[in-house]
Amino acid sequence: MAKRLIADEVLEEWISTYGDQNYVDYKLRALAFAEKCFKEGIITHDEKFSTFLLHGSIYSRITNCKYNSGMYKHVDCEWENEEETFLAVLHKKKEFWLSWKEVTKEYMKNDFKHSFRPTIDRVFEKEGYSLNNIQVLTNAENCAKATSFPHYLFTVVNTSDPTKQQTFRRFDSKGAAFKHIGLPYSKSDTGRFHQVGNCLYLLQSEDVTLGRTTIEEYENPEDLSYTGSFSITTKHPHGGTITISRNFTYERMAIILKQDQLI
């Protein structure tokens, strides 16, 4: 349907000017909207690509929040229509629009590298998407912000060294905590264990650990029971050692620290 809104020569011109932006359906609609705004004198020719990017970002926020997708789970969005929201930004959030255009220019100057792409970020993370709660960040800045708040890493089980069981450590960011145990970036505050070798770890944000919020605000699956396993190394009766894998079932959990435990 969106393809019918755009003449082949217009699409070819966009690809020639802005590269192949993976023009799937919603991006074709964004392209058509940008061309429409230009023809109606709402934007200038130089603002077309910025309009295309912002229209697509607004659409993504509306859709992801509506369907509780990934990191947008339980995040409210007051917007319902990407075109109406774009026009509201244009007329009511002039500083945001100017910033968006500047970041778009840098994105283009840097060969459209994803880390430089402008994104819509919420100023206050506990609030949803609204015109009063948005700012412009590059994709790299947005990702860094998402992992920059303090986290606690709990060693729940350590079968290789019983003396180090049930210890915890505070990290300045989620990324630093995962790097410490050698795992790639993943979610925190899920109430589920991460198994690395003979250890089981629980990773929580500082808000959950200090009881400021609960894991239910982040994850709320219907099935709260999970199956995990850990390795037990013991001496073999005929010499040497053997390693046994033990399975166990648990419900997701959170560890709440009192202030005197932090001293």
Side-chain angles (χ1 to χ4, degrees):
M1 182 181 205
K3 288 183 179 179
R4 297 175 187 171
L5 299 176
I6 305 162
D8 290 340
E9 58 269 22
V10 174
L11 181 57
E12 290 174 4
E13 180 183 351
W14 271 71
I15 294 175
S16 174
T17 306
Y18 307 115
D20 186 358
Q21 297 291 324
N22 186 25
Y23 293 103
V24 293
D25 188 66
Y26 82 91
K27 291 186 178 182
L28 289 173
R29 292 198 303 272
L31 191 161
F33 177 73
E35 289 289 341
K36 176 185 175 184
C37 287
F38 170 62
K39 290 178 181 178
E40 294 179 357
I42 297 173
I43 62 171
T44 66
H45 184 277
D46 291 341
E47 293 176 323
K48 287 201 297 185
F49 191 58
S50 295
T51 299
F52 164 79
L53 292 176
L54 184 53
H55 182 284
S57 291
I58 294 171
Y59 168 80
S60 295
R61 297 301 184 271
I62 293 173
T63 302
N64 289 330
C65 290
K66 179 180 179 180
Y67 293 103
N68 286 322
S69 176
M71 67 181 69
Y72 301 99
K73 197 166 189 178
H74 307 307
V75 176
D76 293 327
C77 182
E78 71 172 17
W79 309 326
E80 295 181 355
N81 180 281
E82 53 269 28
E83 296 186 4
E84 293 176 359
T85 303
F86 171 84
L87 294 175
V89 169
L90 202 64
H91 296 113
K92 298 179 181 179
K93 300 289 292 184
K94 297 185 184 298
E95 290 186 5
F96 179 95
W97 176 235
L98 288 173
S99 179
W100 185 273
K101 289 192 293 182
E102 287 301 314
V103 176
T104 298
K105 288 180 183 178
E106 291 301 312
Y107 175 48
M108 296 172 67
K109 286 181 182 178
N110 286 276
D111 299 323
F112 304 97
K113 291 181 181 176
H114 190 62
S115 58
F116 289 91
R117 188 194 190 284
T119 64
I120 302 173
D121 176 63
R122 287 173 292 149
V123 178
F124 302 106
E125 293 295 320
K126 292 187 179 297
E127 298 179 16
Y129 286 97
S130 69
L131 291 184
N132 295 324
N133 191 41
I134 56 173
Q135 62 183 352
V136 182
L137 292 180
T138 65
N139 188 67
E141 290 171 335
N142 210 335
C143 290
K145 179 185 175 183
T147 63
S148 63
F149 51 92
H151 275 69
Y152 282 77
L153 182 67
F154 295 87
T155 304
V156 182
V157 175
N158 185 344
T159 58
S160 62
D161 189 349
T163 64
K164 293 184 178 180
Q165 288 188 19
Q166 300 177 352
T167 60
F168 67 88
R169 177 178 169 184
R170 183 183 184 275
F171 292 85
D172 290 334
S173 68
K174 183 196 299 186
F178 274 118
K179 183 177 180 180
H180 178 73
I181 57 177
L183 286 181
Y185 174 83
S186 183
K187 289 184 179 181
S188 58
D189 295 338
T190 62
R192 302 186 68 172
F193 295 127
H194 298 278
Q195 182 168 1
V196 181
N198 294 327
C199 295
L200 288 177
Y201 297 99
L202 185 66
L203 183 64
Q204 298 177 171
S205 67
E206 189 169 66
D207 281 346
V208 167
T209 303
L210 300 185
R212 298 171 187 155
T213 187
T214 62
I215 57 176
E216 283 77 14
E217 293 183 20
Y218 296 88
E219 295 284 328
N220 190 26
E222 295 181 3
D223 184 4
L224 299 182
S225 296
Y226 307 103
T227 300
S229 65
F230 58 87
S231 301
I232 301 175
T233 301
T234 185
K235 291 184 178 180
H236 193 279
H238 301 294
T241 60
I242 58 174
T243 300
I244 303 173
S245 180
R246 289 284 187 179
N247 294 327
F248 63 96
T249 300
Y250 63 97
E251 291 189 354
R252 63 197 182 116
M253 62 179 290
I255 298 176
I256 310 300
L257 295 181
K258 297 180 180 179
Q259 291 298 320
D260 57 359
Q261 292 176 291
L262 302 176
I263 300 175

